[in-house]
Amino acid sequence: MKNYKIIADPRVKLDLQDAMEFLKSKRKDLDSKFLSDYKKRLSILKTSPFFEIRYDIIRCLPLETFKYMIHFTVNEQTKIVHIYGVISTYLNPEEYWLKHTK
């Protein structure tokens, strides 16, 4: 089975930085644990990205340890997973997307 290529919007880097800064303010090592959790989930997306569709065509995969979800689409023809955001489950996704798509 061919692996999927992961493409992330520039916004994802900012999402990760925001989350890591917040978590580091809570406890020194949480930022590196968060990044490790995220990378483990990327490995899963590379091989089997067909998780629940939550919003129209947007799929979501929760991180294992942290209360964040990866929001993404899958293109089966091109074998590309496109990540649009990594969002805290405490946030309203609609408000997040309105704020970040202006």
Side-chain angles (χ1 to χ4, degrees):
M1 182 167 104
K2 185 179 177 195
N3 280 353
Y4 284 75
K5 180 179 179 180
I6 305 283
I7 295 175
D9 271 6
R11 173 75 231 160
V12 172
K13 185 177 182 180
L14 296 173
D15 288 346
L16 295 173
Q17 288 172 343
D18 288 349
M20 290 169 62
E21 285 176 21
F22 171 74
L23 292 166
K24 190 174 186 175
S25 76
K26 298 297 177 196
R27 198 174 85 207
K28 190 172 118 180
D29 62 340
L30 283 183
D31 57 335
S32 58
K33 289 181 178 183
F34 171 82
L35 192 57
S36 176
D37 193 355
Y38 173 73
K39 288 179 178 178
K40 285 179 193 171
R41 298 317 243 177
L42 290 184
S43 296
I44 292 169
L45 287 177
K46 286 179 182 177
T47 57
S48 44
F50 296 100
F51 290 87
E52 177 184 6
I53 295 176
R54 288 299 242 349
Y55 316 100
D56 195 20
I57 61 168
I58 301 291
R59 297 173 184 271
C60 292
L61 174 62
L63 297 187
E64 190 173 353
T65 306
F66 295 90
K67 296 197 179 292
Y68 284 80
M69 293 187 100
I70 301 171
H71 291 235
F72 63 97
T73 57
V74 178
N75 185 317
E76 291 184 68
Q77 285 74 38
T78 60
K79 298 285 189 202
I80 291 176
V81 171
H82 190 131
I83 299 175
Y84 293 95
V86 179
I87 305 169
S88 168
T89 58
Y90 293 111
L91 297 176
N92 178 333
E94 288 179 18
E95 289 176 16
Y96 171 91
W97 292 116
L98 285 172
K99 179 179 171 186
H100 292 97
T101 56
K102 289 182 180 180

